Amino acid sequence: MKKILYIWDKAYPWDVRAEKVCESLASAGYDVHFLARWEEGRPETETIRGVKVNRVAFQKHHLLGLAFPKNPIWKKAIVCYIKDFKPDLIIVREIILGVESGKAAKKYNIPIIMDMAENYPAAMRDWKEYNSNFLMRYFVHSYKLPDRIEAKSLGFMNGVVTVCDEQIQRLEKVYKFSSKNCVVVHNTPKSNWLHSKPSPKSDEIVFMHHGHLTAEKDVSKFLKGFLLSCEHKDNLRLVLAGGGHCLDSLKQIAQNSSYSDKIDFLGRYNHKDLEKIIASSHIGGIPYQISDFNQYTIHNKIFDYFAVGRPVIVSENRPSKRIIEETNAGWVVDCENIDKIKEAILNIAESEFSDKAIAASEASKKYIWENDFETLVKFIESF
């Protein structure tokens, strides 16, 4: 049995991708340990569906468990755990702990790969907390500390797992990291999600978006365009499921409109209920702004929509546009333009889009986790 250590500075469980990767590896016979940040109410160690979880900074002040360069608590925890567990492979999630994990891997001659789900430096430049004061803005925007950490982290990596080809191209162009040492593992749902249902029987046409409502994934223009479309058609509804620091501002936009009753804010939801939430809609939406963040990731919700047979409206970001053009399971819309969004919504509402729903169901046969996990295992075994 081969031993794998997965390292991430977040709590476990909570992240769909991290849980999917680790639980699938455990089910496939690997001895999987997860080094996570402690959260209140959790024990220092426990086994969850075959994954042995070990938490850093147990019962300490939560700030001490935050990951940042050269944090002595994380540095010591990583080294001690590697010495005790003696893994055959280390997988570190994102860049924040990449340097410390990489140094320890090199010291003990253990191969290490990064699970890079997004363009982390670009995401940080959009986050509110890194735009709130001069010091944060300087380090993240001007000094480009996240980019420096990413570059240094990649110097230790034997390989990188991404969620789209565009990210691999970025790593090769910016850091000269060889594409031969990279692989795409999409953040797809498991096949037990594949319960494509007919569109809900309703006089209303229901559009929806689910996920964290944050600055790097802005849906405000889509909301405004939808509200404009309600001036011309009265059988439309928009469901926004999820929390986040943009939720209040989106609610304010809706409240300032004469059509606020057409918007349903569901707030935070249990991921177990997501399939049911999507099934209550007709059309999904990923209408995010064109940015360095969105140009180098494929948001897993596009595959969630496919799994329930729902076509998707996407913006013109390259990865999501490529998927829609490949599958014909939705529409590519200029989501920087509110009038274009309105026109698209009205055109879709007037059309027969069952062919797009069928295409989404067909796409779900390709974009399922079992296929991506097979790719991941082959990549892991190469080390």
Side-chain angles (χ1 to χ4, degrees), residues 153-331:
S153 295
L154 287 170
F156 291 103
M157 296 301 130
N158 299 108
V160 176
V161 179
T162 75
V163 297
C164 64
D165 293 322
E166 289 80 3
Q167 178 79 310
I168 294 175
Q169 294 162 10
R170 181 183 77 88
L171 298 180
E172 191 161 48
K173 180 180 179 180
V174 176
Y175 301 113
K176 303 298 185 289
F177 194 90
S178 175
S179 60
K180 295 178 181 178
N181 298 324
C182 298
V183 70
V184 173
V185 176
H186 301 103
N187 200 2
T188 42
K190 294 182 178 180
S191 59
N192 59 8
W193 257 57
L194 300 179
H195 304 300
S196 299
K197 303 174 179 64
S199 296
K201 294 180 180 179
S202 169
D203 291 335
E204 288 188 314
I205 299 173
V206 183
F207 297 77
M208 79 158 295
H209 171 274
H210 71 274
H212 294 300
L213 300 168
T214 47
E216 78 276 13
K217 295 177 283 189
D218 184 22
V219 298
S220 62
K221 288 183 179 178
F222 188 77
L223 172 58
K224 291 174 182 178
F226 178 85
L227 291 168
L228 286 178
S229 68
C230 292
E231 296 176 5
H232 304 275
K233 199 167 181 63
D234 61 5
N235 68 331
L236 304 177
R237 180 161 297 280
L238 175 62
V239 175
L240 296 176
H245 65 250
C246 291
L247 178 58
D248 289 341
S249 62
L250 293 170
K251 285 183 175 180
Q252 191 61 54
I253 291 171
Q255 289 168 6
N256 291 338
S257 166
S258 301
Y259 301 96
S260 59
D261 61 322
K262 297 290 186 179
I263 314 297
D264 293 332
F265 291 97
L266 302 188
R268 296 186 185 278
Y269 56 86
N270 189 319
H271 189 264
K272 294 178 181 178
D273 298 326
L274 183 55
E275 185 180 344
K276 188 183 300 183
I277 294 171
I278 295 175
S280 67
S281 69
H282 296 88
I283 296 160
I286 309 177
Y288 305 144
Q289 70 270 32
I290 295 176
S291 68
D292 281 343
F293 173 72
N294 292 309
Q295 292 277 44
Y296 298 104
T297 190
I298 296 180
H299 303 282
N300 61 297
K301 54 181 66 65
I302 193 170
F303 306 122
D304 296 343
Y305 294 131
F306 288 174
V308 193
R310 297 297 181 264
V312 191
I313 295 173
V314 303
S315 61
E316 294 177 324
N317 285 293
R318 287 190 297 271
S320 51
K321 179 181 179 182
R322 172 171 55 78
I323 294 290
I324 291 301
E325 289 177 345
E326 172 208 324
T327 62
N328 194 37
W331 306 265

Side-chain angles (χ1 to χ4, degrees), residues 17 21 24-25 28 30 89 91 113 115 160-165 168 179-188 366-383:
R17 183 176 179 85
V21 167
S24 297
L25 287 170
Y30 293 88
L89 176 71
I91 304 175
I113 63 177
D115 186 8
V160 176
V161 179
T162 75
V163 297
C164 64
D165 293 322
I168 294 175
S179 60
K180 295 178 181 178
N181 298 324
C182 298
V183 70
V184 173
V185 176
H186 301 103
N187 200 2
T188 42
K366 173 183 178 181
Y367 291 109
I368 57 172
W369 177 245
E370 285 76 4
N371 292 341
D372 282 296
F373 181 62
E374 183 178 344
T375 301
L376 177 63
V377 169
K378 287 180 180 177
F379 189 65
I380 285 174
E381 289 296 332
S382 70
F383 297 99

